[in-house]
Amino acid sequence: MSETEGVIRVFLLDDHDVVRMGITALIEQEDDLSVVGEAATASEALRRVPAARPDVAVLDVRLPDGSGVEVCRELRDRVPGLACLILTSYSDDEALHDAIMAGASGYVLKQIRGADLVGAIRTVASGESLLDPHSTTVLLRRLRAGTESDDPLRGFTAKERRVLELIGEGLTNRQIGERIFLAEKTVKNHVSSVLSKLDMRRRSQAAAHAARLKARSGREGPEATDRRRPDPT
């Protein structure tokens, strides 16, 4: 916490001016909180936060040039003692998992009441952790389900495993089709199936998941399991 009369210094990162203005107005009503900087993009935040020396950075997840979770990871390395509070419009267990791994102190939804957001800022500034209860419940359910099998892609066909691996490499549907000799429409169907089985909505989530599986397995990626089972399709 800041040495200036115990005031908590807050930095805001959100690409919507109205959101930043609303949070600023809310914070400035409090005697123990002060907004010391703002940014609309990840690059701006990474440039401005170290100079602003905030105690808490309130970070939106979805940004035009990146993710608030990645900003959190970078800032935690650059600014020792900084507490990051992830603020998002969506209850996304994948983002929650990534935020925790990035060192975020809190994760709350934008539907939170103003008074509760102020309380959340104070909570993380004091060194405590704060997570949205619903998001935490969903994440724990997925983590427990993951322990039921050594195969994190149980139920996937060989083609779906291969498609997931190539999504992780950043390939488009057309590029995937060229790589594994499938029509682009067929690839699109496989991608939809992969997202459904992973209970994810976005391709970027699947790409991040594939990267984690590759790092954890120490093998070539999801296709390593292909060699152990026939393709039922």
Side-chain angles (χ1 to χ4, degrees), residues 56 85 106 108 112 114-125 128 130:
V56 177
L85 179 63
V108 295
I112 190 172
D116 292 335
L117 177 58
V118 169
I121 292 172
R122 291 190 178 111
T123 295
V124 298
E128 298 179 34
L130 179 73

Side-chain angles (χ1 to χ4, degrees), residues 1 8-12 36 45-46 48-50 52-59 71-85 102-106 124-128:
M1 185 177 296
I8 299 171
R9 299 166 59 86
V10 182
F11 190 97
L12 304 178
V36 296
L46 293 174
R48 296 176 182 176
V49 169
R53 296 182 294 106
D55 302 300
V56 177
V58 179
L59 311 172
V71 172
C72 172
R73 182 176 290 108
E74 288 287 333
L75 291 180
R76 290 280 295 167
D77 290 336
R78 298 187 192 182
V79 187
L82 175 67
C84 293
L85 179 63
S105 300
V124 298
S126 69
E128 298 179 34

Side-chain angles (χ1 to χ4, degrees), residues 63 97 129 141 144 166 191 209 218 223:
L63 301 167
H97 176 277
S129 296
R141 188 183 304 130
R144 292 190 189 103
L166 296 176
V191 170
H209 187 65
E223 88 283 5

Side-chain angles (χ1 to χ4, degrees), residues 77-96:
D77 290 336
R78 298 187 192 182
V79 187
L82 175 67
C84 293
L85 179 63
I86 303 296
L87 186 63
T88 179
S89 301
Y90 305 94
S91 180
D92 185 337
D93 54 310
E94 199 71 23
L96 172 59

